[in-house]
Amino acid sequence: MTIVTTTKGEMDDSLLERKEGVVDNEDEYTTWVEYWLDGELVHRSAHVTLKKPLTYTVAEAAPIA
């Protein structure tokens, strides 16, 4: 029995449908877990690992006025 914090409060994971996903490319490795209740997404957690540093130009970093 595992308790999951959801938009409906804390629930036993046996009452929920669990879905997992992964993105793995040259820039990132991302995993996520979703819990669904009767077709409604009630919890999502994700973990992102960057494989290389982010780069940007001064124009991209400038504030929008």
Side-chain angles (χ1 to χ4, degrees):
M1 176 178 106
T2 300
I3 299 297
V4 178
T5 302
T6 73
T7 57
K8 309 286 186 186
E10 293 186 347
M11 300 182 74
D12 187 317
D13 70 338
S14 66
L15 303 172
L16 304 168
E17 178 185 359
R18 179 184 169 114
K19 297 180 183 181
E20 299 179 27
V22 174
V23 171
D24 188 5
N25 60 39
E26 65 184 37
D27 298 317
E28 67 177 293
Y29 180 74
T30 301
T31 60
W32 65 88
V33 177
E34 299 175 339
Y35 287 95
W36 294 75
L37 178 65
D38 299 326
E40 179 184 354
L41 178 63
V42 294
H43 175 93
R44 178 185 291 144
S45 59
H47 182 78
V48 179
T49 302
L50 297 178
K51 294 182 176 179
K52 55 187 174 183
L54 294 176
T55 59
Y56 59 89
T57 64
V58 173
E60 292 171 335
I64 297 173

